[in-house]
Amino acid sequence: MAEDDDDLAALREQTSHGDRIEEAAAEDARRDLVENILDELEAIDAGDKQKTISVWDGHLAAFIRALEENPDRLEEVGHALQRQLDIEEGDVDRSEILRLALRLGFQEAAPKEFEAVREAAREQATKGL
């Protein structure tokens, strides 16, 4: 039994060491993403890059335009997105709907990566304080 316990202890040590290495690598990768986002934010603030993004999608374009033709529906969809993101309900327009939908999609599909955006925003907001 003592030999089995020793083998088990050795296996635990190897596994925990591997976990720490993987965690450190993941933290480095996350930090790199935060730094890349900060660089992009600085370029936007400096006027070197645009704030706008665009997508090429006929179905989504039709959907957004149809919502714009039906302001009550546009507001319904916008408020539903705001609720999903725990944002206080407010005025919505085309840009706000798209912004919220992208945020919700990234938050749901890639929460760890999207957290890097939040971290970069916090760092940018406190820079120079």
Side-chain angles (χ1 to χ4, degrees):
M1 279 287 184
E3 189 174 321
D4 288 339
D5 290 341
D6 290 341
D7 290 342
L8 187 57
L11 183 59
R12 280 189 189 123
E13 178 62 30
Q14 289 172 355
T15 303
S16 75
H17 182 68
D19 288 347
R20 286 188 296 241
I21 291 171
E22 289 171 12
E23 287 175 17
E27 176 60 26
D28 288 346
R30 188 195 59 71
R31 189 68 214 158
D32 287 345
L33 182 58
V34 170
E35 291 297 327
N36 291 144
I37 294 167
L38 283 167
D39 291 345
E40 292 297 324
L41 287 169
E42 287 175 13
I44 289 168
D45 286 347
D48 296 333
K49 296 207 177 166
Q50 294 183 4
K51 284 184 179 182
T52 59
I53 57 173
S54 60
V55 294
W56 187 271
D57 188 304
H59 293 102
L60 283 178
F63 176 60
I64 295 299
R65 288 185 191 123
L67 288 176
E68 288 180 308
E69 293 295 319
N70 296 278
D72 291 343
R73 290 272 172 106
L74 178 82
E75 190 171 277
E76 265 179 48
V77 170
H79 289 170
L81 287 165
Q82 289 168 335
R83 284 190 300 274
Q84 286 292 313
L85 291 164
D86 292 324
I87 296 172
E88 185 176 328
E89 288 183 17
D91 293 338
V92 293
D93 59 13
R94 166 196 281 240
S95 190
E96 180 70 2
I97 293 270
L98 293 169
R99 193 170 32 254
L100 294 172
L102 281 170
R103 286 181 183 169
L104 182 60
F106 287 131
Q107 181 176 291
E108 293 294 317
K112 289 179 184 176
E113 289 81 2
F114 193 66
E115 183 58 33
V117 175
R118 289 187 181 104
E119 185 174 335
R122 283 189 298 269
E123 286 184 31
Q124 184 188 36
T126 58
K127 194 179 259 187
L129 291 182

